[in-house]
Each structure stands twice: as structure tokens, then as C-alpha cells.
């Protein structure tokens, strides 16, 4: 937020008249313009300071690099990207894109190709600030399993139990266990070393990594390119958000929401390209609904989590907000509540509160499709062709009112989703945008 004193100064300069005495002393100079210039410098200095403070707090890639390479050189962890990161230096961190100090996200280069590098580090508030302390704490907590002496069969059973707890009982879990084992076997010798096992186990604790492994064959999930310990590398999504302009939190008091919305509309791709992105987003909703490894819920339907590539194919740039239905139900089951707000997982996976027994129900009220359609009302309607806009508005209104109740989930949802896709495809098919 803008400091109260600064807001007061803005008001004084803009709205309070200057005394006649002062104006008469400087007849050739507009004093108010001088004050405005001084105020502009003050605000610019404040913005630069906030930008620097935000960067120093959020961007700690050097710590991440130090911790990972220390563990690698000591033989605690392994991975397909370790040599490139720590020895050959062909995997480099470049621009910081982190929004949280404990979840480091950087754009980077690997063999001259653009990638995204993600890494988790200990919260600096919980440590004494010393790098050695961060290394020790991460080694003791993150890479403590499996222990030395664990057999391959025991490790497979660990993986199966973990995946069952996080994805629910699925007939295809054995296939996913084999996929994880193959991924862990970095040197492809048919065995999994202790360092390889510790690395893949640590990575599976990261919700996004687990989803990328489970959904790796899906078109709209970024490809996993490599890992080292709990650091992992993915393909870079050209546009990591539906909108190009994101106002920093410390400037939101200065920039009206209507202005930022208008600028984003002006900067957005042409409508046919937005229709193509939308079709991809609807296909992703289909992919995570009753897939091979269960259903997944979008628990923060933000336009800044959905991206697209240079061909305007939708790519989920951030999967951290997507969670398995089994995990959400486990969180809600038996949870005490007073209102529906007490029954919320993440940002917006909300169930109803049974006020008689004061416990949460386990069915999320608003399904993925309804949340996506709320985004589309802003992203898709502006600039829509006049002959399509009426039907599009009607279908989106129907979509946003969908319920997450089991009685509606199957046929009704599929019908609404397919109607939307068909409407958009008809408009852009047989054109350069299809």
C-alpha cells in the first residue's frame, strides 16, 4: 500500500491552492508544477525502493543453487540436470519470476534453449539467515526418505501408498509407480540409487511436480525436462499469463482496476486467437476431469496461472493451484466449521458447511468449468464478433452457474463444455487461426 503520508501529500499538491504571497514571489514559475515534479520524483523513488525490496525478498535463486549443488557434490541427491547446473554450468538461472520466497521460479537457459527452473527453499523467517543453516535444515527434513537399506520393493510400496493417498484409489497406480521409477533412474542402469530415490521422493512432495508426472502426456501441461534434487526444469511457456500486464501489489492503490483492465484488453491477442486459447483451456478442463489418475480441481482460477505459446495453444503455466480431488476431500472430511468460508481449500475450492453438525461436506460447490467460464467472461467477450456475441454470452452465463454436485457433474457439464467448444470452432475453423 502507498504510505498514508504520501497519499496526503498527493492530495495537498493537487487540490490545495497556493498562497498569493508565494505566487507573487515567484511570478515566472508555476510553483504547483514544481511541486508536482518533486512529487513525481518522490513517487518514482518509492516505486524503485519497493521494487528492490520485493526483489530481494522474493528472489533467492543463488541460495537455491548453492543448496542444490552442495547436496549434489556430497552425493545426497542426483538428477538428470545436476551436471548441467553444478559442473558444466550449461543450465543457468536468469530472470526471477518468483511470487513467493519459498517457491523460487526463474527463467533460464539450458543448452541455449529457454526453460523455466523451479526450486523450493526454506522460509528465511524460520532460519537464522545463515546459508549453512538452510543447507542443514533442508538435508534433515527434505531428503530424509527413503533411508539407507530400503529395498526396491519397499520403495515401490512407499510410492504406491503415497500416490494412493494423494490421487485416491486408482487402477492405474502401478503404471504411475513404474513411470516414477523410470524417471528416477537417471543413469538408466535399471536400478535406483539412494540419491536418486531421495531426489524423486522430495520432488513428489511438490504438488506441481506430481501433476506434471501424472499428466505428462497431456497437450496442455508443460513438459518436464529434467531435475536435480527438488529443483526441476520445465519448458518455458512463451506467455505465462492470459494477460500481459500485472500490476504489482504495492502499485494497486495507485492504478485503478478499470485502467489495468482496459490496458490488458488493448494488449490482448486478436479475438480469433483468444478463441483458440479458450478451446485449449476447455480441453484442459476435460483432461483433468476423470482422467487416468483421477479427477483434479483448480483451486485458484487465476488468469495469471494460464498461459499460451507462440502458436496460441493453451499451456498451464502454473499447476500449483491444481489439486487432486482426493486431497481436497481428505482436507474437508470431518473438518469443523461455522460458515462455508471455513470449508475452503486453497483460494476457491469451497464446500458447504453443515451447520447442524458443524462439519464440512466433501463436495466442492463450484466445479472447474464454472471457474474457467468466469475467467472467459472477461477474456473472451470483449471484441467478440457481433453475430456470435449473443450466443456466447448466453452460454457463458449458463456455464458460470454450474454446480459441483454429483447429480450435475457428468452429462450437464459435458454438454455445456462441448457446446462452447463447438460454437468457437465453427467461427474460427477453415481460417488461418484454426
Amino acid at each position: 500500500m502507498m504510505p498514508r503520508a504520501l497519499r496526503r501529500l498527493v492530495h495537498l499538491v493537487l487540490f490545495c491552492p497556493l498562497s498569493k504571497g508565494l505566487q507573487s514571489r515567484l511570478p515566472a514559475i508555476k510553483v504547483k508544477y514544481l511541486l508536482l515534479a518533486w512529487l513525481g520524483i518522490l513517487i518514482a523513488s518509492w516505486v524503485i525502493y519497493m521494487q528492490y525490496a520485493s526483489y530481494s525478498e522474493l528472489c533467492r535463486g543463488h541460495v537455491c543453487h548453492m543448496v542444490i549443488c552442495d547436496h549434489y557434490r556430497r552425493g545426497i541427491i542426483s538428477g538428470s540436470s545436476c551436471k548441467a547446473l553444478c559442473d558444466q554450468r550449461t543450465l543457468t538461472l536468469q530472470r526471477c519470476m518468483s511470487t513467493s520466497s519459498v517457491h523460487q521460479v526463474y527463467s533460464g537457459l539450458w543448452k541455449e534453449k529457454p526453460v523455466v527452473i523451479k526450486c523450493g527453499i526454506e522460509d528465511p523467517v524460520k532460519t537464522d539467515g545463515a546459508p549453512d543453516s538452510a543447507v542443514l535444515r533442508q538435508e534433515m527434513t527434505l531428503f530424509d526418505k527413503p533411508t539407507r537399506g530400503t529395498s526396491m520393493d519397499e520403495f515401490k510400496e512407499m510410492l504406491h501408498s503415497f500416490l494412493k493417498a494423494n490421487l485416491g484409489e486408482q487402477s492405474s497406480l502401478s503404471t504411475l509407480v513404474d513411470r516414477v521409477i523410470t524417471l528416477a533412474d537417471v543413469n538408466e542402469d535399471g536400478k535406483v540409487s539412494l540419491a536418486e530415490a531421495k531426489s524423486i521422493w522430495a520432488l513428489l512432495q511438490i504438488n506441481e511436480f506430481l501433476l506434471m508426472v501424472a499428466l505428462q502426456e497431456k497437450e496442455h501441461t508443460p513438459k518436464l525436462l529434467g531435475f536435480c534434487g527438488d529443483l526441476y526444469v520445465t519448458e518455458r511457456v512463451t506467455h505465462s499469463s492470459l494477460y500481459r500486464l500485472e500490476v504489482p501489489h504495492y502499485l494497486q492503490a495507485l492504478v485503478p482496476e478499470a485502467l489495468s483492465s482496459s490496458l490488458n484488453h488493448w494488449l490482448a491477442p486478436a479475438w480469433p486467437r483468444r478463441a483458440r486459447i479458450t478451446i485449449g483451456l476447455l480441453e484442459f478442463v476435460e483432461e483433468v476431469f476423470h482422467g487416468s489418475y483421477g479427477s483434479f480441481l483448480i483451486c485458484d482460477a487465476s488468469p495469471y496461472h494460464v498461459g499460451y505459446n507462440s502458436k496460441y495453444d493453451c499451456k498451464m503455466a502454473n499447476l500449483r493451484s491444481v489439486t487432486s480431488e482426493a486431497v481436497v476431500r481428505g482436507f474437508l472430511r470431518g473438518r469443523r466449521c461455522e460458515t462455508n468460508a471455513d470449508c475452503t481449500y486453497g483460494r476457491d475450492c469451497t464446500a458447504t458447511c453443515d451447520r447442524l453438525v458443524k462439519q464440512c461436506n466433501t463436495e466442492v460447490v463450484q466445479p472447474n468449468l464454472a471457474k474457467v467460464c468466469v475467467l472467459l467472461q472477461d477474456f473472451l467477450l470483449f471484441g467478440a464478433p457481433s453475430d456470435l456475441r449473443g450466443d456466447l454470452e448466453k452460454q457463458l452465463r449458463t456455464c458460470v452457474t454450474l454446480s459441483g454436485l454429483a447429480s450435475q457433474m457428468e452429462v450437464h457439464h459435458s454438454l455445456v463444455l462441448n457446446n462452447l467448444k463447438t460454437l468457437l470452432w465453427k467461427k474460427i475453423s477453415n481460417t488461418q487461426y484454426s
Side-chain angles (χ1 to χ4, degrees):
M1 287 293 286
M2 180 187 285
R4 187 181 298 174
L6 191 55
R7 288 201 300 269
R8 234 179 239 167
L9 184 57
V10 171
H11 184 270
L12 283 172
V13 170
L14 294 178
F15 304 110
C16 294
L18 297 169
S19 68
K20 291 182 179 179
L22 183 59
Q23 288 185 346
S24 63
R25 279 195 294 265
L26 295 170
I29 301 174
K30 297 291 186 181
V31 177
K32 183 172 284 192
Y33 292 149
L34 284 176
L35 288 175
L36 280 172
W38 178 79
L39 178 62
I41 294 170
L42 181 64
I43 293 175
S45 302
W46 175 73
V47 168
I48 292 169
Y49 168 76
M50 291 298 294
Q51 183 75 14
Y52 172 78
S54 176
Y55 184 91
S56 60
E57 177 187 348
L58 295 177
C59 302
R60 304 171 64 221
H62 61 290
V63 176
C64 185
H65 186 278
M66 180 200 69
V67 171
I68 288 293
C69 290
D70 176 78
H71 282 61
Y72 166 64
R73 292 183 180 117
R74 292 162 58 196
I76 297 169
I77 61 172
S78 182
S80 56
S81 306
C82 290
K83 284 186 178 179
L85 179 71
C86 303
D87 295 338
Q88 300 167 348
R89 299 296 179 97
T90 54
L91 174 59
T92 56
L93 284 70
Q94 293 185 325
R95 186 171 66 89
C96 175
M97 302 188 296
S98 306
T99 57
S100 164
S101 61
V102 296
H103 299 287
Q104 295 295 294
V105 182
Y106 277 76
S107 64
L109 286 177
W110 191 4
K111 299 174 183 176
E112 305 304 320
K113 293 183 179 179
V115 295
V116 172
I117 303 160
K118 301 186 178 185
C119 173
I121 56 177
E122 182 74 24
D123 188 342
V125 176
K126 297 179 181 178
T127 67
D128 58 11
D132 291 343
S133 173
V135 172
L136 182 60
R137 288 175 69 94
Q138 192 159 13
E139 181 181 334
M140 291 173 62
T141 58
L142 188 60
F143 302 113
D144 60 341
K145 292 180 181 179
T147 55
R148 188 174 297 278
T150 302
S151 69
M152 179 62 86
D153 288 339
E154 289 172 332
F155 184 52
K156 284 186 176 181
E157 184 57 37
M158 279 177 63
L159 290 173
H160 192 278
S161 299
F162 174 82
L163 294 173
K164 180 180 176 180
N166 283 272
L167 301 177
E169 184 65 72
Q170 310 292 335
S171 59
S172 53
L173 283 186
S174 296
T175 304
L176 188 56
V177 169
D178 291 339
R179 181 183 294 178
V180 171
I181 292 292
T182 301
L183 187 63
D185 184 14
V186 176
N187 57 8
E188 299 179 352
D189 62 353
K191 302 174 184 178
V192 177
S193 68
L194 183 61
E196 290 171 339
K198 284 179 180 288
S199 298
I200 204 69
W201 183 260
L203 282 165
L204 289 173
Q205 312 310 307
I206 303 171
N207 178 62
E208 183 177 54
F209 183 87
L210 174 58
L211 288 177
M212 292 183 76
V213 174
L215 303 173
Q216 71 173 20
E217 75 281 0
K218 303 301 183 183
E219 181 184 352
H220 305 294
T221 305
K223 290 182 176 63
L224 177 67
L225 302 178
F227 65 91
C228 182
D230 69 327
L231 174 148
Y232 56 105
V233 186
T234 72
E235 68 171 317
R236 188 189 296 182
V237 179
T238 309
H239 303 280
S240 59
S241 167
L242 287 182
Y243 298 120
R244 299 189 183 184
L245 177 66
E246 183 177 7
V247 180
H249 65 90
Y250 53 83
L251 283 179
Q252 288 173 0
L254 286 173
V255 181
E257 187 176 345
L259 175 61
S260 61
S261 178
S262 297
L263 287 172
N264 273 319
H265 286 180
W266 182 66
L267 294 169
W271 187 87
R273 286 175 172 153
R274 280 183 278 129
R276 181 182 173 89
I277 296 166
T278 296
I279 291 169
L281 180 55
L282 294 173
E283 288 173 349
F284 176 77
V285 172
E286 284 183 299
E287 290 170 356
V288 299
F289 183 62
H290 289 334
S292 303
Y293 304 112
S295 296
F296 298 88
L297 300 175
I298 301 172
C299 290
D300 184 1
S302 165
Y304 300 106
H305 294 164
V306 183
Y308 55 94
N309 61 19
S310 57
K311 296 180 180 178
Y312 299 94
D313 297 318
C314 175
K315 291 281 186 180
M316 296 300 293
N318 186 342
L319 287 169
R320 281 178 52 207
S321 63
V322 182
T323 309
S324 74
E325 187 178 41
V327 167
V328 176
R329 284 180 177 270
F331 172 83
L332 295 171
R333 190 174 295 114
R335 187 174 181 83
R336 302 287 293 173
C337 64
E338 296 291 338
T339 66
N340 290 353
D342 299 325
C343 303
T344 301
Y345 181 94
R347 181 172 171 266
D348 53 19
C349 279
T350 302
T352 55
C353 175
D354 188 332
R355 288 179 173 81
L356 291 177
V357 295
K358 294 191 174 182
Q359 283 192 349
C360 297
N361 294 311
T362 57
E363 285 190 340
V364 172
V365 174
Q366 191 180 34
N368 292 337
L369 184 56
K371 295 175 186 177
V372 164
C373 285
V374 172
L375 292 184
L376 296 179
Q377 283 183 319
D378 182 61
F379 180 69
L380 194 60
L381 282 178
F382 74 91
S386 56
D387 61 331
L388 184 76
R389 187 179 177 90
D391 286 341
L392 192 55
E393 281 184 343
K394 182 180 177 181
Q395 293 205 24
L396 287 176
R397 277 199 304 269
T398 302
C399 181
V400 298
T401 59
L402 288 172
S403 164
L405 300 178
S407 58
Q408 283 195 23
M409 284 297 282
E410 298 290 344
V411 178
H412 193 193
H413 284 217
S414 296
L415 183 63
V416 171
L417 190 147
N418 287 326
N419 284 345
L420 264 173
K421 283 175 61 179
T422 302
L423 184 68
L424 296 173
W425 265 124
K426 279 184 178 179
K427 194 64 183 176
I428 67 170
S429 60
N430 302 319
T431 70
Q432 62 176 325
Y433 301 106
S434 62

